[in-house]
Amino acid sequence: MTMKIGIGLLLAASVVSLSACNSKGTDKLADRVENAADNRADTMESQADALRNEAKMLDKRAENTRDYAEDRADAIKAADVNASAMSPEQRDAIVANQAAAVR
């Protein structure tokens, strides 16, 4: 009977040993999957940060454009420009910021 118990224990130890080896391979694969996903996620977060920074810069440029247009409009009103004496092309160039509105 002792021999049967010894063989049983030996078999049980072998199964545990084999499952531990298999688990290690599985753990390594799982770790690689997680590491690869972490790297991809880090890249996405970096891209998101860059996009947020770009969005902030664009917001600032939009604000500056509006401020500049307001200043130009105020200058046109203050100079009492005779817009009706201008050609449509001249007015369009002023609107498109391609020509000075006030000299």
Side-chain angles (χ1 to χ4, degrees), residues 7-86:
I7 293 174
L9 289 174
L10 184 61
L11 285 173
S14 298
V15 169
V16 169
S17 176
L18 286 174
S19 67
C21 289
N22 189 24
S23 174
K24 287 181 183 176
T26 302
D27 288 348
K28 286 181 183 180
L29 179 59
D31 288 345
R32 288 180 59 203
V33 168
E34 285 183 358
N35 289 338
D38 281 342
N39 290 337
R40 288 191 307 273
D42 288 345
T43 299
M44 287 183 251
E45 288 172 342
S46 294
Q47 290 171 340
D49 288 341
L51 289 172
R52 278 188 282 277
N53 290 337
E54 188 174 338
K56 286 178 187 176
M57 289 187 304
L58 286 172
D59 283 341
K60 185 63 177 168
R61 285 179 58 196
E63 182 182 335
N64 290 341
T65 298
R66 285 189 177 92
D67 291 344
Y68 179 70
E70 187 176 334
D71 291 344
R72 286 186 80 212
D74 290 344
I76 290 169
K77 290 173 189 174
D80 197 24
V81 173
N82 186 1
S84 60
M86 295 179 188

